[in-house]
Amino acid sequence: LPDYTLSDFYVAAFLICSGLNLVRAERVAANRVTFVLQDSPRRSELIQDFYARQSYGTLGRAQSYEI
């Protein structure tokens, strides 16, 4: 799979904690960093889970994800 690039720190942290590998972080401006992750077939599902959990305020609960 190709790499996946994003600039949202919290989503990147969630994806990394969910098992995606950080390839590199690139500074693109004085106050902006992009995160390059090794993509996963489950990335889209994990991002949806991140936003669903955020809306219910349950992000602090520990979960285990298989990639």
Side-chain angles (χ1 to χ4, degrees):
L1 292 170
D3 292 337
Y4 177 69
T5 303
L6 70 159
S7 59
D8 186 307
F9 173 80
Y10 295 104
V11 174
F14 181 79
L15 292 174
I16 292 166
C17 289
S18 298
L20 274 70
N21 294 318
L22 177 65
V23 175
R24 67 184 171 277
E26 302 173 340
R27 182 173 299 278
V28 293
N31 62 347
R32 189 115 174 129
V33 173
T34 58
F35 303 93
V36 181
L37 306 176
Q38 187 175 27
D39 208 356
S40 164
R42 292 199 57 220
R43 176 199 21 98
S44 180
E45 178 185 343
L46 290 168
I47 291 173
Q48 289 176 351
D49 190 42
F50 171 82
Y51 285 111
R53 291 170 163 275
Q54 190 175 46
S55 66
Y56 291 106
T58 59
L59 265 179
R61 197 168 48 180
Q63 289 286 335
S64 174
Y65 293 94
E66 288 186 31
I67 302 297

